[in-house]
Amino acid sequence: MCGLYASIGFEPDEQRIDIIQHRGPDGRGWEVYASGSGPVALGHRRLAIIDVSDAGLQPMSDRSCRYHLIFNGEIYNYLELRNELMLKGETFYTDSDSEVLLRSFMVWGMECLHKLRGMFAFLIWDEREKTLFAARDRFGIKPLYVFEGVGGFAFASEIKQLIGLKGWSGRMNVARVHDFLSAGVSDHTAETMFEGVRQLRGGEQVIVRADGSVPRAEIRRWYPATAGHLDLTERDAAARFRDLLDASVRLHLRSDVSIGSCLSGGLDSSAIVCLMARDLPADAALNTVSACYPNKEVDEKPFMDAVVGRTGANPHFVYPRADDVFDRAAEITWHQDEPFGSSSIFAQWCVFEAARKAGIKVMLDGQGADEQLAGYHGAFGYHLVALRQQRKIGQIARTIIERRRYHGAPMSPPVREHVLPLLPAGLAGWIGTKLPPPAPQPPYYDWLSGPLIRAAGNPNGPLALATASLDLPPIVDVRTLCLTLTYASNLQMLLHWEDRNSMAHSIEARVPFLDHPLVEFNLALGNCHKVVGGDTKRVLRRAMNRILPSTIRHRRDKLGFSTPEEAWFRGPLRERVVAGIEASLTLYPDLFDPAATRAFASDMLEGRRPVDFTLWRIVNLGIWGETFGVTV
């Protein structure tokens, strides 16, 4: 896990690699080459994980000095690839996965990407052909930003490295800011919230030709965003899932430094920790790090304690404080590069901060399972629509009843929408009269309706844009929802936040649920293996039988790195929330309707409507604008 920078045609500037020293405190490399399109700079900051000797420093060159590599990430199957290459006559001079990646490219060219199991963003300069090749892993675990300025291209691990390049505007991308404010979605397209800065998306590669006066770039997908179809029994699906996840965890434990895990107490992180306990050597310590709160509504410590008791892990607990949400907000925003969606990102920050203090350098985490396996409660709506279309009234009734039992969800709205249309008119009418009337809706405020939004916002919504941008099918059921969440929207946003929070503390975050054989299997599974009655992630629950504590395997609530945001915002942080909203209104008045925004916020803070993440998004937009000097 490292940080990188490359440019063609721009004046080489080593500060652009030093600004991300946090990504790589263990080594530094900088080289400049000549091309017909101007100077070519390659810079690297190293976080040493595999072969921690200086032999792994980058840029890394082959013996002929034709190819030069800078690489951020891990190739988990590097030992297998190394053996395969040695059988082809290749000789290795280090024990690093970086050299395996370099030689894989030399032997197999761009086709080597399909052999890699891991997370990666890397660039290779071909000195003979005067081309720069770059690629990003299948799901976008590791970042890679691209900026095309006046006379040149630049690539970076973080957006802040690109500030001030010739052609940099420092302006807001209003359409993407609109998506963030209205729906809390980011990283769902190639664009960022900075005008003119794009990212190479997961599964994309680019070749920049620098053999002429103006560099030319060609971007294409190397990994298609698709899903197959599997027809398996519950038993067979669970067994295959367990084998794939266990194999992934074993690969993700390859490390020459200390290793631990984030533990929230939910299904996903608990499954990772329980499998780690089975796969780690007997003399290896299993460290977990967790965020806890006195507020019982969001505190998951009893579940964490159950996992610790089952595995014998060495637990580390951190207790995020309300005041630190704002005291650390500018620092976290600087590391994140873009505004982030809720105070839960602050809780995750605290977990990685505690991990660093505990001396842990690699952390496994459970990101990715919810997107592949329909772990979010929003999936129930799509599930019910599909059942209604199939006229499966028994399964609809079971889902509605179990959602009420497990989650306290109201029954009347889904009965009206999904049951009554399937009944004879007379019976439907009679049942309709027995249902309680719909709950009154809170007042609607058109708060996000300033002239800039009307002129340059996204009128179609972020999910529709995300789906269309990768030519994915429209979201009509659980399967298509999982496809979009995994490849095009939610997952990329969560990976962005995790990468920045972990790297801010010089920690490598690994995500075993995103081993591509496991992802491909999960996306090919039918809906019946994901949502069943009131359960989400059915195949995971069944696969972890006798591995997870039963109290966790049967959990139905959904928290993650939650904070007591409602209590904090209505209590000790209220004045700072109001001041933050006013600061954003002052900084960007043309985005908002100020009166409607204030009324909307007041309803939440006064208890007339539930507090949601919108308040923090408005506040954090202003913090981002101030931190980076973003204009409109």
Side-chain angles (χ1 to χ4, degrees):
M1 190 77 66
C2 305
L4 51 81
Y5 174 82
S7 65
I8 298 177
F10 292 115
E11 185 68 24
D13 180 2
E14 294 187 49
Q15 185 271 341
R16 299 190 183 280
I17 201 68
D18 291 334
I19 198 173
I20 56 163
Q21 181 180 356
H22 51 275
R23 296 189 73 94
D26 299 332
R28 180 186 185 280
W30 181 264
E31 297 290 342
V32 179
Y33 310 91
S35 81
S37 301
V40 176
L42 297 183
H44 190 260
R45 299 290 319 205
R46 186 186 184 205
L47 184 67
I49 303 296
I50 302 292
D51 186 354
V52 298
S53 74
D54 286 349
L57 291 173
Q58 299 175 37
M60 180 178 285
S61 305
D62 73 306
R63 292 284 159 160
S64 72
C65 290
R66 174 181 172 180
Y67 297 103
H68 309 272
L69 166 76
I70 52 175
F71 163 47
N72 171 26
E74 296 291 347
I75 308 301
Y76 298 119
N77 64 332
Y78 77 101
L79 294 176
E80 290 79 5
L81 289 175
R82 179 189 175 103
N83 290 336
E84 185 176 351
L85 289 163
M86 289 176 69
L87 290 175
K88 290 180 173 291
E90 293 295 310
T91 302
F92 288 85
Y93 302 92
T94 77
D95 293 322
S96 71
D97 60 333
S98 302
E99 187 181 12
V100 172
L101 174 58
L102 177 60
R103 292 188 172 275
S104 295
F105 183 84
M106 292 168 60
V107 171
W108 294 304
M110 293 179 287
E111 291 304 307
C112 76
L113 296 172
H114 299 282
K115 292 178 171 286
L116 305 179
R117 290 177 71 173
M119 54 182 183
F120 53 84
F122 69 87
L123 297 100
I124 294 179
W125 171 247
D126 184 335
E127 176 69 10
R128 189 180 76 186
E129 297 297 324
K130 302 299 181 183
T131 59
L132 185 66
F133 176 81
R136 196 174 178 200
D137 63 67
R138 293 166 177 83
F139 310 109
I141 306 170
K142 292 294 99 192
L144 189 58
Y145 292 98
V146 185
F147 177 73
E148 182 178 2
V150 178
F153 282 90
F155 297 83
S157 293
E158 298 185 10
I159 296 173
K160 61 181 66 69
Q161 298 173 262
L162 305 171
I163 295 174
L165 287 172
K166 195 172 182 180
W168 173 269
S169 73
R171 295 180 62 182
M172 171 192 298
N173 181 339
V174 175
R176 301 293 73 79
V177 167
H178 183 197
D179 289 343
F180 170 74
L181 289 172
S182 64
V185 176
S186 57
D187 292 281
H188 55 297
T189 76
E191 297 178 3
T192 70
M193 285 185 249
F194 285 91
E195 182 182 86
V197 179
R198 64 156 288 159
Q199 57 184 319
L200 204 64
R201 303 190 76 178
E204 287 186 342
Q205 65 180 41
V206 60
I207 299 175
V208 183
R209 305 189 186 281
D211 52 358
S213 58
V214 179
R216 308 177 310 281
E218 176 187 350
I219 298 175
R220 69 177 181 87
R221 290 201 67 80
W222 67 268
Y223 183 72
T226 59
H229 292 271
L230 290 173
D231 185 12
L232 298 174
T233 66
E234 261 202 305
R235 181 177 180 178
D236 289 345
R240 181 64 177 147
F241 177 96
R242 183 172 54 251
D243 290 345
L244 287 168
L245 181 58
D246 193 35
S248 176
V249 170
R250 288 198 302 272
L251 278 179
H252 283 71
L253 291 177
R254 289 179 171 177
S255 170
D256 293 335
V257 298
S258 56
I259 197 163
S261 181
C262 303
L263 175 61
S264 71
L267 274 169
D268 310 331
S269 65
S270 298
I272 296 297
V273 172
C274 288
L275 290 174
M276 288 175 68
R278 296 178 7 147
D279 295 331
L280 278 170
D283 59 345
L286 172 53
N287 289 283
T288 62
V289 187
S290 308
C292 306
Y293 304 93
N295 188 317
K296 298 304 179 184
E297 291 182 2
V298 297
D299 185 53
E300 300 181 85
K301 192 170 185 300
F303 299 104
M304 302 165 188
D305 289 341
V307 175
V308 169
R310 170 66 64 89
T311 62
N314 178 29
H316 305 266
F317 299 106
V318 60
Y319 293 82
R321 301 184 319 119
D323 287 345
D324 289 339
V325 173
F326 278 86
D327 291 346
R328 309 293 294 276
E331 178 186 9
I332 298 173
T333 302
W334 184 84
H335 277 282
Q336 288 291 337
D337 276 332
E338 296 179 279
F340 55 92
S342 79
S343 60
S344 65
I345 310 310
F346 158 69
Q348 187 187 58
W349 170 279
C350 294
V351 166
F352 284 115
E353 185 176 53
R356 181 176 184 177
K357 291 177 181 177
I360 305 168
K361 201 168 184 178
V362 172
M363 292 279 282
L364 273 62
D365 203 354
Q367 298 283 18
D370 283 321
E371 288 73 23
Q372 303 166 51
L373 299 176
Y376 299 110
H377 288 187
F380 285 113
Y382 293 99
H383 179 57
L384 287 168
V385 167
L387 293 178
R388 187 184 71 212
Q389 292 172 345
Q390 299 166 43
R391 305 188 68 83
K392 294 183 177 180
I393 194 167
Q395 292 187 37
I396 293 173
R398 175 187 174 186
T399 301
I400 293 172
I401 292 169
E402 291 188 358
R403 286 208 67 209
R404 172 72 171 181
R405 182 188 310 156
Y406 299 157
H407 313 298
M411 295 180 65
S412 297
V415 167
R416 283 194 176 89
E417 183 176 359
H418 302 292
V419 175
L420 299 188
L422 302 181
L423 300 177
L427 180 58
W430 180 80
I431 293 176
T433 64
K434 303 299 181 182
L435 296 175
Q441 295 298 308
Y444 171 73
Y445 297 105
D446 194 14
W447 60 274
L448 192 54
S449 58
L452 267 179
I453 295 295
R454 292 196 299 269
N458 174 20
N460 299 318
L463 272 185
L465 177 63
T467 301
S469 68
L470 289 181
D471 199 26
L472 296 172
I475 303 173
V476 296
D477 60 3
V478 170
R479 179 179 183 274
T480 49
L481 174 67
C482 291
L483 197 60
T484 293
L485 291 178
T486 300
Y487 284 116
S489 63
N490 206 68
L491 179 59
Q492 285 66 42
M493 177 174 62
L494 296 177
L495 292 172
H496 175 138
W497 295 337
E498 176 142 2
D499 172 82
R500 302 308 191 282
N501 274 347
S502 60
M503 294 308 297
H505 298 98
S506 303
I507 288 176
E508 175 171 289
R510 297 181 173 182
V511 281
F513 278 106
L514 294 182
D515 188 33
H516 74 271
L518 176 61
V519 177
E520 291 168 359
F521 172 80
N522 288 339
L523 292 178
L525 284 178
N527 296 343
C528 62
H529 295 294
K530 298 177 181 180
V531 179
V532 178
D535 269 347
T536 59
K537 296 189 283 195
R538 179 63 167 254
V539 66
L540 172 58
R541 296 174 191 274
R542 185 172 177 116
M544 292 296 106
N545 187 30
R546 293 191 295 274
I547 297 175
L548 275 175
S550 60
T551 56
I552 293 172
R553 196 168 67 88
H554 296 301
R555 281 193 72 179
R556 270 95 180 191
D557 55 336
K558 179 69 183 162
L559 291 176
F561 283 114
S562 296
T563 64
E565 193 163 276
E566 184 170 63
W568 283 357
F569 283 13
R570 287 179 178 164
L573 298 182
R574 177 172 176 150
E575 291 185 3
R576 300 183 79 170
V577 170
V578 172
I581 291 172
E582 291 299 323
S584 294
L585 293 177
T586 300
L587 192 60
Y588 301 120
D590 290 340
L591 291 178
F592 304 98
D593 179 315
T597 303
R598 293 185 182 104
F600 176 66
S602 177
D603 277 3
M604 288 191 186
L605 296 176
E606 295 289 346
R608 292 185 291 272
R609 69 195 308 147
V611 169
D612 65 26
F613 297 147
T614 311
L615 288 183
W616 176 257
R617 295 199 296 266
I618 297 171
V619 170
N620 194 231
L621 182 76
I623 296 172
W624 171 66
E626 290 283 356
T627 300
F628 289 99
V630 181
T631 64
V632 295

